[in-house]
Every structure is written in structure tokens, then in C-alpha cells.
Amino acid sequence: MVDVVSSEAGIPRPDHPLNQSGGAKWFLPAFGVLVLVGVIYVGYALSQDLAVAKTVPWILLGIALLIALGFEFVNGFHDTANAVATVIYTRSMPAEFAVMWSGVFNFLGVLTSSGAVAFGILSLLPVELILQVGSSSGFAMVFALLVAAILWNLGTWFLGLPASSSHTMVGSIIGVGLANQFMAPAGSATSGVDWGQATNVGITLLVSPIVGFFAAFILLYVMKLLVRNPALYEAPKGNTPPPWWIRGLLIFTCTGVSFAHGSNDGQKGMGLIMLILIGVVPTAYALNRTPDINYLEAYKAASVGVETALGNYVKPGVTVTDAKAAVQDAVRTRSWSDQTTVALQTYIHDTTASLQPYASVDNVPTDLVSNARNDIYLIGEALKLIDKKKLLPMQDADLKAVTDYHKAVDNATKFIPLWVKIAVALALGLGTMVGWKRIVVTVGEKIGKSHLTYGQGAAAELVAMVTIGMADRFGLPVSTTHVLSSGVAGTMAANGSGLQWSTVRNLLLAWVLTLPCSITLAFVLFIIFRQVF
């Protein structure tokens, strides 16, 4: 692959785990064919989707997609070390083959992901920017947060620091939200950053490495009590691979972490690509053009249900002149009044009436698609003030109508075409095979004072696999980097091996600086890009 690992004297060490040969010669050609087939499919599917678009700004679309896929590519080679370091340093798999193996399961993880994390991340963005994603401010938002995330990831990779791509993306989104508020005209109301959602995501990112450290610590300690095989807790001897059952466990956990990483981290790129597509070619991607024609009818039924439910809380004599404007103000200020109830009921009625003549999205005129999506999205955000913020107390039966509406909105607006998943999977898989050695060395050699043992590798990887898998299940973004690195540190502490505090200090420094640095980068870039677009 790339650089040669050397000893302190600068002399190559053939017995070093990173220098083990064993990469299958057939793998790269086979993967190359897979990439070619994937690119052809992505191009074909994209052209089919764009056939319904009136005009396509090809240059802008191409640049935006390349940057978004570039983020996933960098994410791939930045985070690969977390999955493969343990199997390489325990000599369970040859280094090059381990990276290839991880790339395949990152690829599969992306393809089978649900999309919940993708839209959870996007919910951090200011509502008005999402509604104006096709405007100059929308383009500035997308480019600012993507470029900021790529710059920070590349910088920490160059320094060999296992920093978090998830932290970086969240920080970039917060930076864009703050810049949007900063640039808003005096006296205007902007929703800015959703600090409630940001706090929830921040707590998840903060707690997950702590969970990784202590869970791996406890797991290794329990293993020592229950599995009294000295070979499990000794450093590998020479180039000899571990016993088959230990090797199988380590490969299984490496596979699980790779799959979970693709499933969780790959979704961030998917969400951003969907944001780009909605902004650049809304007529093709604003609403879900699924073959199932029933979902639009289900949306209409849910709209009628929630309109009826709101009617139970309308006070006599309350009127509004501009229903949409009143709903927008409520969402921006996160407040509720009697006028808001009337406005939302009216707004829902008007939106449903505009879609009533059409049985499926394919029948909806292209001029109406983008506005319809914005209307549906805004109504959904307003209803969150009821069921999430509890600003309008409702009976349980009426609250059910609200949750049914959210489900219908998700079907209409939260979708990811298969070609987007394949494009992100290819970018992440390719990135996995590039530039991985820097961070592998940090995780494998510089966290603990002694060589990583089989038991330590298995405990750290198992904890990371379960933690990331559970987070993906609940739609929460977590840092693969922090969970695995802290897990390795936890096993070193449990083993009494001691920690290299200079490395731990650098890891903590990267952890602490990622949010403020990515916030600052995105803030500055948003202001610059607002002058460009």
C-alpha cells in the first residue's frame, strides 16, 4: 500500500505486523470490476431520475456530489484503523487483506443501512436553511459544512490522530447554524441551531467513548475470570497467528465493527447527498417517487386526521391572515399560541387540498413538487412542537393522529434512492483502502505501553461492534473512532499494561478541539460561500 513501517533506528522491520504479506492478488481486480459496475449503475440511475427534471445545473450538481462523496472517501481511510488495528496487531489477518476485508463490510453496511441516522443528523440544521436548500444560502450551507468536515478530517489524519468524523460533522452543522444567525438581518427571526437536538447528539457522542472504555475494561476483566487460557492474554509470538478460535473471534469482531461503521457513518454522506439533490433538482427528489402509489393516499388520510385533531383545540373567534407565515414564526421561535393552532389547521387543510387531485407523486406537476415538500416538512416541524416540546397539551387519541402524520411525512420526504447508497458505499469502501497506516499505528502501538493481546483486541472490538450497532438501531450518530480507541485504552488499564499518556493526551486534545475547530471552520466558510453563491 503506502509507507514502510520502520524501527526507531529507521531500519525496516520485516516482522512488524504491518509488513505481513497476504493480500489476495485477485481481490483488487475484483473490487475494481465492482467499482466500475457500481459507477455505471449510479450514472444510469441518476440519469433516469433526472429525466423528470425541467432543468439540471450539471456543473453545480457534479461539484456538490464529488465533495459529498469526497467526505465519505476521507471518512473511509480516516476510520478504517479502528476496525483493522486489532486484527493486524494480533496477527489474525495480514494487514493488506484486513483492510480489503474491512472495505467490503463497510460497503455492505452502507447498502443495508436504514437511513435513520442520516435524517437525524440533518435535523440539526436550521429549519429555514433546509426549506431554502435550493437558494444561495442553502448551497453555502452544504458546501461550508462539507468542506469544513473534510479539512478537519484530513488534518487529524495527517497527524495520525483518531479524531471523530461524527463530531466533525456535528460541529460543522452547528457552525453553519450560528453563522446563519449571525448573518440574519437585524430584527428577523431565525431558528438557528436546534440546541435540544444538538444536546441529544452531543450527549451520545460524549457518553459513547466513556461507555467504550469501561465496557471494554469490565469485559476483559470478566474474560480473565471465566476464560483461564494464558494464551489469550499474551502478546503474539513472532508472526504466528493466534489459535483458531481466538482468530475467529477477532475476525468476527473486526467484521462487525466494519459493517457497523458503514451502516452508521455512511448515512451521514447519504443525508448530505439527499440535501444536495433536493436543493439542486427538487423536481426529481423533493418527494419520494416510490412505485407504491398508496403512500400519497396515506399521507392525505393522515393529514385529515391531524387536521380534525387540531380542531378540538381551536378557540372561538381566533383568526389568522397568513397561515403559513404564522406556522413559520412558531417553528423559528419554538413557541405556541392560540393563533398557531388555527394557522396550522388551515395550513394542513390547504396543503392537503393542493395534493388531493393526484393519486401518486408521478402525477403531481413538477412545479408543485418542491413547494409541496417544503409545506409537508414545515408542518412536520410544527407538529414536533406538540409531541416533542408539549407546547399544546393534547389527549392521547389526538396525539396518535400527530404521530401517524409524522410516519406519513417520513414516507413522503425521508427516502434514499439505491444509487445514493451504492455511491456512498463505493466512496467509503475505496477510502478504506487508502491512507490507513497512520492511524493504525496510533491505535495499535501508541495507546498502551505493551503489545496488544488477543483478549484485549477481542474485548475492544466486541464492545465497539455492539455500541455502534445499537446506536444505528436507534438512529443515533456515534464515533467509531472514539468508541474503539477508548475500548483499547480500557483493556490496557484492565490488563495493568499502562497507558502512553502522551498519546492519550493527544487523543483527548483532538476530542476536545474537534467541535470548536469544526464549528469555527464551518462558520467562516459559510460566510465566505454566502458571498460566492
Side-chain angles (χ1 to χ4, degrees), residues 9-354:
I11 302 171
R13 295 163 50 189
D15 62 334
H16 194 282
L18 292 191
N19 292 328
Q20 279 185 284
S21 60
K25 294 181 179 179
W26 54 265
F27 183 87
L28 287 179
F31 191 75
V33 172
L34 179 64
V35 169
L36 180 61
V37 172
V39 170
I40 292 172
Y41 172 77
V42 167
Y44 172 77
L46 179 60
S47 66
Q48 292 295 107
D49 287 350
L50 296 181
V52 300
K54 281 190 171 181
T55 58
V56 180
W58 290 103
I59 296 177
L60 183 62
L61 177 62
I63 293 173
L65 289 179
L66 282 175
I67 294 176
L69 293 173
F71 166 75
E72 283 302 329
F73 179 82
V74 173
N75 187 8
F77 73 70
H78 193 279
D79 287 3
T80 303
N82 307 294
V84 301
T86 54
V87 291
I88 292 173
Y89 275 86
T90 56
R91 305 186 189 273
S92 299
M93 297 178 81
E96 291 189 358
F97 188 79
V99 174
M100 296 174 188
W101 182 271
S102 178
V104 169
F105 284 94
N106 267 285
F107 181 91
L108 294 175
V110 175
L111 290 184
T112 56
S113 58
S114 64
V117 174
F119 294 105
I121 282 285
L122 292 185
S123 65
L124 293 174
L125 288 165
V127 173
E128 66 269 14
L129 285 183
I130 294 179
L131 295 178
Q132 302 165 13
V133 70
S135 66
S136 60
S137 58
F139 291 136
M141 167 190 68
V142 171
F143 282 103
L145 65 90
L146 278 172
V147 173
I150 290 173
L151 288 176
W152 183 252
N153 276 349
L154 284 174
T156 52
W157 165 81
F158 181 78
L159 296 173
L161 295 175
S164 167
S165 297
S166 301
H167 264 113
T168 305
M169 181 55 66
V170 171
S172 298
I173 289 173
I174 292 174
V176 164
L178 292 175
N180 182 57
Q181 281 185 306
F182 175 75
M183 297 189 71
S188 64
T190 61
S191 60
V193 178
D194 184 345
W195 290 111
Q197 180 71 5
T199 300
N200 292 335
V201 172
I203 290 173
T204 303
L205 291 170
L206 178 66
V207 169
S208 56
I210 299 173
V211 170
F213 181 92
F214 287 104
F217 181 101
I218 293 169
L219 179 57
L220 185 64
Y221 188 77
V222 171
M223 286 170 62
K224 285 186 171 184
L225 293 176
L226 299 179
V227 186
R228 297 182 178 276
N229 186 330
L232 192 60
Y233 313 108
E234 296 175 356
K237 295 178 174 60
N239 289 323
T240 306
W244 67 267
W245 62 277
I246 300 175
R247 191 178 191 183
L249 176 62
L250 287 162
I251 292 174
F252 170 74
T253 53
C254 166
T255 303
V257 171
S258 299
F259 184 86
H261 175 261
S263 180
N264 194 280
D265 277 44
Q267 293 192 53
K268 302 174 182 71
M270 292 182 205
L272 292 170
I273 287 176
M274 289 310 300
L275 202 60
I276 291 166
L277 293 172
I278 291 166
V280 178
V281 276
T283 54
Y285 295 103
L287 293 178
N288 187 2
R289 294 183 176 274
T290 176
D292 180 9
I293 63 171
N294 296 320
Y295 92 82
L296 192 57
E297 293 301 321
Y299 169 78
K300 296 173 188 175
S303 297
V304 172
V306 78
E307 180 185 343
T308 303
L310 284 168
N312 298 327
Y313 304 90
V314 171
K315 294 184 178 179
V318 178
T319 59
V320 291
T321 54
D322 189 336
K324 183 174 181 178
V327 172
Q328 285 177 325
D329 287 341
V331 170
R332 287 194 182 107
T333 59
R334 298 183 181 91
S335 60
W336 200 273
S337 66
D338 294 337
Q339 285 76 20
T340 307
T341 309
V342 176
L344 184 56
Q345 186 190 38
T346 304
Y347 189 30
I348 291 173
H349 178 82
D350 293 344
T351 301
T352 308
S354 68

Side-chain angles (χ1 to χ4, degrees), residues 152 156 160-164 167 205-206 209-210 213 442 446-447 481-482 485-486 489 499-517:
W152 183 252
T156 52
L161 295 175
S164 167
H167 264 113
L205 291 170
L206 178 66
I210 299 173
F213 181 92
T442 299
K446 298 182 179 180
I447 293 179
T481 302
H482 288 161
S485 300
S486 61
L499 297 170
Q500 296 190 43
W501 287 107
S502 60
T503 300
V504 173
R505 184 183 64 248
N506 290 338
L507 293 176
L508 289 174
L509 192 62
W511 187 20
V512 170
L513 290 179
T514 291
L515 276 178
C517 287

